[in-house]
């Protein structure tokens, strides 16, 4: 039939049908491909292949099938495989599924793609609680391990929410608070390990995420808890799904957001506590599995609740088999690296990559107002002289007041002369490190416009520490010069990365902080892997991690003092640039500042000072954060005066940290860098808690 004989309704509907078909084809072409089955199968098949290879290597030629089904009582290899390797495989799958499920529901109720037990502080809090119980309540640890971990993880998460509450639980604010709580809990755990080394040696090895098993009881118990949690999540599936429509829509449909959110997070804490109690800390599986499930095509919550646990089980299975394959190959000798440290090596770079997906961030202009002095000191020079005199008094006190077997007392002239060769270099190193960290903190805060930045908190110190790790393991016998050059290269590389990333993100302060925290987590994972490997060079690395000045040689202390004096002389010359850089890039350029030159000069000086201080007191002390803040709170606002005041305050803090570390634990010593972190952590938490409430804004 020709078109002129076609009914009018048919002629009108033909173009519409054609347009509808075209739109349908375009939508089908634009629809994301579902790769859930191929991705999960690929990971599982790779893990299975490695499992079979590792099992054959462990059996030493014995029958694999017999070992799996009915091991011969007299065959030790078959018995080990049946009673240890298979339970290890089972608990690996269960832990991976539990952590992925905890991460999926946390991300759903917080609307935050970076939420998971590690970034929310649950893991470090649970581990710290177990360490405290192991020292002061060992009977509880033997019978109430899961309850202790649950309480510790829950308290840590509540602290995270308290820190982020004034920012209305904005995504970056929650993760930043969680990572800071994680850092401080890690510092406390390390302090406990040093002060009670004999009691916590086994807990330290186990806490790295060791999946070794000696039977099926742990796997069966954890599987029962996972089934109960799955049942509870199934009952909550509809309220949880409504979070995707937005909070206002969910409230309009009668969902109690607060009750649902805390119920879901309570389940996440419970799952995490069970995993910690069973195998220790295994980080970032709860971040990786839901993210991969979403990227592979799991767009709806119901899909992620199924595929995220499957992917989590497969990912942890593959990671653990890689660890066992490395152990079988003998790369690290007879030592078996804890699986949890390897997951952190993978998860920290993933955290950096996922930062690009976050669009909302809290407005930090209120933070800048809160952290700026409400008054201006009339005579800042007199204040700086007073701070320097107070520092000199603290130095004299640290050398003259002692604690011995007969109690407290003053050092006699003969004792001072006998110990001067040991005490003077250590005190000089602490003073130099404090001066350098104080100056570097002001430089970094002014350069980035970030009121809560510091060289250790934004990862510059951790980058330098990674350079030290590279030098220790790549050089045959690295000397002080080689370690310093490697540390300086790591610090400069980290600062360059921060400047590049910050320029792309318009120097959003909390993004820079999260990058630094991720770099710090990467360093902790590297140091944990090296320490667990049993390599004798790990002892040298541990000294850098805890920031002990005990092994500082006189020549190293002298070089540090010279560099600190150079910083004191050069930094005030950059004061005018720092004043203008803190006003913003556009304003600075309009006032005639060569932004690239000013930023490069500031960057190089900050890297030099940070690298030197890292060699002396380790990568985490918080002095670079506290010193500039205290200077501002005293009314020192101009850049030149703030640099000098922060240098004096930093020296005072480091001397007090070293002095208290020597006295409190006599006859043992608490390293100066770690002691400073223990002092500075509460200050950092307090500075975050006092921030004014600010509305969330959108990053363009």
């Amino acid at each position: 039939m020709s078109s002129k004989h076609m009914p009018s309704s048919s002629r009108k509907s033909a173009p519409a049908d054609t347009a509808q078909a075209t739109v349908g084809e375009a939508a089908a072409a634009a629809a994301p491909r579902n790769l859930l089955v191929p991705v999960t199968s690929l990971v599982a098949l790779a893990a299975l292949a490695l499992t079979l290879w590792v099992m054959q290597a462990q059996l030493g030629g014995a029958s694999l099938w017999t070992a799996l089904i009915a091991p011969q009582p007299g065959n030790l290899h078959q018995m080990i495989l049946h009673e240890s390797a298979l339970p290890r495989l089972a608990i690996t799958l269960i832990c991976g599924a539990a952590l992925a499920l905890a991460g999926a529901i946390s991300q759903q109720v917080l609307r935050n793609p970076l939420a998971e037990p590690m970034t929310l502080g649950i893991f470090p809090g649970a581990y710290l609680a177990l360490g405290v119980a192991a020292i002061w309540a060992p009977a509880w640890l033997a019978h109430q391990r899961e309850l202790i971990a649950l309480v510790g993880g829950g308290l840590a998460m509540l602290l995270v929410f308290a820190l982020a509450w004034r920012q209305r639980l904005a995504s970056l604010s929650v993760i930043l608070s969680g990572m800071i709580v994680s850092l401080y809990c890690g510092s406390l755990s390390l302090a406990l390990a040093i002060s009670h080394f004999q009691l916590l040696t086994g807990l330290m090895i186990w806490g790295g995420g060791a999946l070794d098993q000696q039977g099926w009881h742990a796997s069966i118990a954890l599987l029962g808890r996972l089934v109960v949690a799955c049942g509870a999540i199934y009952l909550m599936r509809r309220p949880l799904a409504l979070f995707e429509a937005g909070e206002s829509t969910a409230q309009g449909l009668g969902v109690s957001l607060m009750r649902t959110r805390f119920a879901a997070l309570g389940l996440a804490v419970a799952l995490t506590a069970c995993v910690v109690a069973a195998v220790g800390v295994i980080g970032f599986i709860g971040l990786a599995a839901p993210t991969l499930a979403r990227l592979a095509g799991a767009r709806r919550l119901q899909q992620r609740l199924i595929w995220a646990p499957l992917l989590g089980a497969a990912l942890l299975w593959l990671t653990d088999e890689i660890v066992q394959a490395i152990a079988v190959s003998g790369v690290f000798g007879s030592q078996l690296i804890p699986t949890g440290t390897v997951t952190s090596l993978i998860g920290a770079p993933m955290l950096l990559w996922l930062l690009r997906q976050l669009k909302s961030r809290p407005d930090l202009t209120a933070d800048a107002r809160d952290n700026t002095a409400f008054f201006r000191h009339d005579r800042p020079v007199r204040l700086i002289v007073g701070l320097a005199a107070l520092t000199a008094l603290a130095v004299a006190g640290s050398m003259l007041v002692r604690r011995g077997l007969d109690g407290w007392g003053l050092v006699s002239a003969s004792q001072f002369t006998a110990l001067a060769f040991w005490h003077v270099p250590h005190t000089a190193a602490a003073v130099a490190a404090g001066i350098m960290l104080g100056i570097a903190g002001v430089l970094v805060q002014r350069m980035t416009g970030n009121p809560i930045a510091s060289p250790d908190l934004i990862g510059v110190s951790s980058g330098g520490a990674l350079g030290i790790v590279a030098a220790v393991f790549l050089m045959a016998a690295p000397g002080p010069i080689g370690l310093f050059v490697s540390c300086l290269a790591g610090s400069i590389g980290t600062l360059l990365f921060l400047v590049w990333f910050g320029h792309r993100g318009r120097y959003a302060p909390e993004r820079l902080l999260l990058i630094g925290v991720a770099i710090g987590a990467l360093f902790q994972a590297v140091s944990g892997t090296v320490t667990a490997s049993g390599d004798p060079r790990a002892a040298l690395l541990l000294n850098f991690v805890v920031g002990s000045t005990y092994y500082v040689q006189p020549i190293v202390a002298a070089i540090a003092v010279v560099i600190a004096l150079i910083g004191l002389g050069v930094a005030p010359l950059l004061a005018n640039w720092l004043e203008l850089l803190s006003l913003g890039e556009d304003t600075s350029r309009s006032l005639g500042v060569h932004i690239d030159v000013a930023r490069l000069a500031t960057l190089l000086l900050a890297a030099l000072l940070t690298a030197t201080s890292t060699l002396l007191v380790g990568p985490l002390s918080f002095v670079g954060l506290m010193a500039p803040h205290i200077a501002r709170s005293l009314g020192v606002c101009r850049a030149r005066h703030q640099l000098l005041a922060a240098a004096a305050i930093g020296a005072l803090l480091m001397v007090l940290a070293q002095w208290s570390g020597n006295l409190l634990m006599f006859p043992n010593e608490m390293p100066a860098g770690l002691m400073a972190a223990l002092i500075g952590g509460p200050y950092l938490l307090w500075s975050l808690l006092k921030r004014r409430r600010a509305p969330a804004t959108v990053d363009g």
Side-chain angles (χ1 to χ4, degrees), residues 434-491:
I435 291 174
M436 290 184 285
L437 285 172
I439 295 174
V442 176
L443 293 176
V444 171
Q445 289 181 15
R446 294 265 182 175
M447 181 181 68
T448 61
N450 188 340
I452 52 175
S454 71
D456 39 17
L457 199 59
I458 67 172
V460 181
S461 298
S462 296
L466 286 173
I468 294 174
V469 174
V472 169
F473 284 89
L474 296 179
M475 298 182 184
I481 301 299
L483 291 175
F484 174 73
V485 171
S486 301
C487 185
L488 181 61
S491 298

Side-chain angles (χ1 to χ4, degrees), residues 436-445 447-448 454-456 458 460-461 487-488 491-492 495 499 563 567 570-571 574 578 598-614 643:
M436 290 184 285
L437 285 172
I439 295 174
V442 176
L443 293 176
V444 171
Q445 289 181 15
M447 181 181 68
T448 61
S454 71
D456 39 17
I458 67 172
V460 181
S461 298
C487 185
L488 181 61
S491 298
I492 292 177
L495 270 173
V499 170
I563 295 176
V570 174
L574 306 177
L578 294 176
R599 190 167 285 152
L600 179 62
T602 306
L603 181 149
L604 290 176
L605 181 59
L608 173 65
L609 299 176
T610 302
T612 309
S613 62
T614 300
L643 285 166

Side-chain angles (χ1 to χ4, degrees), residues 312-633:
L315 285 173
L316 189 56
W317 181 18
L318 177 60
T319 305
D320 187 52
E321 293 305 325
I322 292 174
V323 168
Q324 293 190 68
I326 293 174
V328 170
S329 64
V331 174
F332 290 104
S334 59
Q335 299 292 328
L336 185 62
I337 303 172
T339 305
T341 60
V342 181
T343 60
S344 296
L345 287 174
I346 301 170
M350 175 172 284
L351 180 62
L352 290 175
W353 176 69
L354 287 175
L355 278 175
R356 301 180 304 171
Q357 298 187 9
L358 285 184
K359 298 298 181 183
S360 63
R361 66 177 177 89
D363 181 12
L364 291 187
T365 55
D367 298 344
R369 291 193 299 269
D370 285 347
N371 290 299
T372 303
F374 291 102
F375 68 97
R376 190 180 297 271
H377 201 282
D378 296 332
R379 298 179 179 179
V381 176
R382 179 177 296 183
L383 175 63
I384 294 170
V385 172
L387 290 172
L390 188 60
T391 302
L393 183 63
V395 169
S398 68
M399 290 187 175
L400 297 179
V401 178
R402 67 175 180 87
R403 182 183 177 186
L405 297 176
D406 54 348
W408 298 79
L410 295 176
V411 176
S412 63
S414 59
Q415 290 174 331
F416 179 81
T417 304
L419 295 176
F421 77 97
W422 175 78
H423 202 59
V424 171
H426 298 171
T427 305
V431 171
I435 291 174
M436 290 184 285
L437 285 172
I439 295 174
V442 176
L443 293 176
V444 171
Q445 289 181 15
R446 294 265 182 175
M447 181 181 68
T448 61
N450 188 340
I452 52 175
S454 71
D456 39 17
L457 199 59
I458 67 172
V460 181
S461 298
S462 296
L466 286 173
I468 294 174
V469 174
V472 169
F473 284 89
L474 296 179
M475 298 182 184
I481 301 299
L483 291 175
F484 174 73
V485 171
S486 301
C487 185
L488 181 61
S491 298
I492 292 177
T494 305
L495 270 173
L496 287 174
F497 176 74
L498 286 168
V499 170
W500 171 79
F501 194 96
H503 181 72
R504 293 189 60 186
R506 294 184 297 180
Y507 291 97
E510 298 209 350
R511 290 180 182 272
L512 293 180
L513 288 174
L514 274 173
I515 295 169
V517 172
I519 295 173
L522 181 62
F523 168 70
Q524 289 182 353
V526 171
S527 60
T529 302
V530 172
T531 304
S533 68
D535 194 294
R537 291 170 290 186
L540 178 62
L541 178 61
L542 185 61
N543 292 327
F544 292 119
V545 173
V546 299
S548 176
T549 59
Y550 186 84
Y551 298 102
V552 173
Q553 301 174 357
I555 183 63
V556 176
I559 294 174
V561 170
V562 170
I563 295 176
L565 293 176
I566 292 174
L568 280 173
V570 174
L573 301 179
L574 306 177
N576 292 334
W577 278 347
L578 294 176
E579 293 276 7
L580 297 176
L581 284 175
S582 61
L583 299 177
E585 186 172 333
D586 296 335
T587 305
S588 302
R589 185 174 286 109
S590 66
L591 293 174
V593 177
H594 296 284
I595 299 295
D596 295 334
V597 176
R599 190 167 285 152
L600 179 62
T602 306
L603 181 149
L604 290 176
L605 181 59
L608 173 65
L609 299 176
T610 302
T612 309
S613 62
T614 300
L615 281 170
L616 299 175
V617 296
L620 187 65
S621 65
F622 295 126
V623 171
L625 172 74
M626 290 189 293
H629 273 224
I630 295 175
R632 273 199 299 270
S633 66

